[in-house]
Amino acid sequence: MSDLSPVEQSEAEPTRAVRSRWGVEVAVILCVGVFPPLLSALVSHPTEETMPSAQHQWLALLVRSFQVLAPTMYVIWRSREGWSAFGWRRWRLSDDLILGFVLALVGLWCARLGVMVGRSLLGADAAYNPVIQNEFRQAFHVDGWTSALMVAALVANSFAEEVVVRAFLILRFTQLLRSPVKAVLLSSLLFASYHVYQGLAPACGVFAMGLLLGTVYAFQGRVAPLIVAHTLYNLAQSWKF
């Protein structure tokens, strides 16, 4: 069981066979957890008429989160590197909650800055997709069952994304690229890429949030506070609309 951060774990020189296995693992997880939502974000153009019901959307997100999480957890288990190598260490409840809360606050500021930069560089047309914005605006103004389903879906999605994009990909990218900086940048780009359905400027905000969480993870190697931060961030983003 390793207590080293992803940066420290990248220092050992792997064999060619090990690097090949890492590459296959990354390809599998990208095909399962990143490319499908990216393709959907690029080809789908939701309108008020084509958007499914709120309950259907949140239920689909909940199911999708577990579909992504299950194979990723299997790949981590099969690696025999130990769960702690991928950020799964004993929960420090108060510390993780406090750090998660602080990261969520800083992340909201970073995301806002990223959106502003995106709008400045890409123009007003890159603002939030009005259909998506309207869906979030209505999320807390529906029946209790739909609101509860939304919260459950956002929690599950935050959990799955942190396991895939931060806990798994940052470690593997660091090992393969021999650079934690490149690993954080690449994971953040992938994280932002499948959020372009929200609009290009909001995707820039997601990229900024990814940089923050990725940098923290690269040096402290704990996924629990990131899950807390991501969950609070998602809930806050939904609430603000």
Side-chain angles (χ1 to χ4, degrees), residues 44-51 129 131-132 197:
S44 63
H45 302 284
T47 64
E48 295 289 352
E49 292 74 23
T50 61
M51 286 289 286
N129 182 325
V131 176
I132 302 299
Y197 69 92

Side-chain angles (χ1 to χ4, degrees), residues 9-89:
Q9 292 179 56
S10 68
E11 295 176 357
E13 186 64 36
T15 65
R16 177 177 295 182
V18 170
R19 290 180 63 85
S20 296
R21 175 172 61 82
W22 289 343
V24 171
E25 290 177 351
V26 168
V28 168
I29 297 306
L30 289 177
C31 289
V32 170
V34 176
F35 293 155
L38 172 58
L39 181 61
S40 176
L42 292 176
V43 303
S44 63
H45 302 284
T47 64
E48 295 289 352
E49 292 74 23
T50 61
M51 286 289 286
S53 67
Q55 289 187 2
H56 181 274
Q57 291 180 66
W58 296 123
L59 182 59
L61 180 61
L62 183 62
V63 172
R64 173 65 185 165
S65 298
F66 285 104
Q67 287 177 333
V68 171
L69 185 61
T72 305
M73 299 293 279
Y74 172 74
V75 169
I76 291 175
W77 170 79
R78 193 175 183 276
S79 73
R80 299 292 192 269
E81 293 172 48
W83 295 100
S84 63
F86 296 89
W88 291 97
R89 303 175 187 180

Side-chain angles (χ1 to χ4, degrees), residues 4-6 84 86-93 95-96 99 103 162 166-167 213 216-227:
L4 301 177
S5 71
S84 63
F86 296 89
W88 291 97
R89 303 175 187 180
R90 179 176 297 178
W91 280 69
R92 305 168 186 164
L93 188 58
D95 291 345
D96 290 339
L99 179 57
L103 286 175
E162 289 309 314
R166 249 70 68 177
L213 297 183
V216 171
Y217 181 75
F219 286 100
Q220 57 90 26
R222 293 178 56 81
V223 74
L226 305 189
I227 293 172

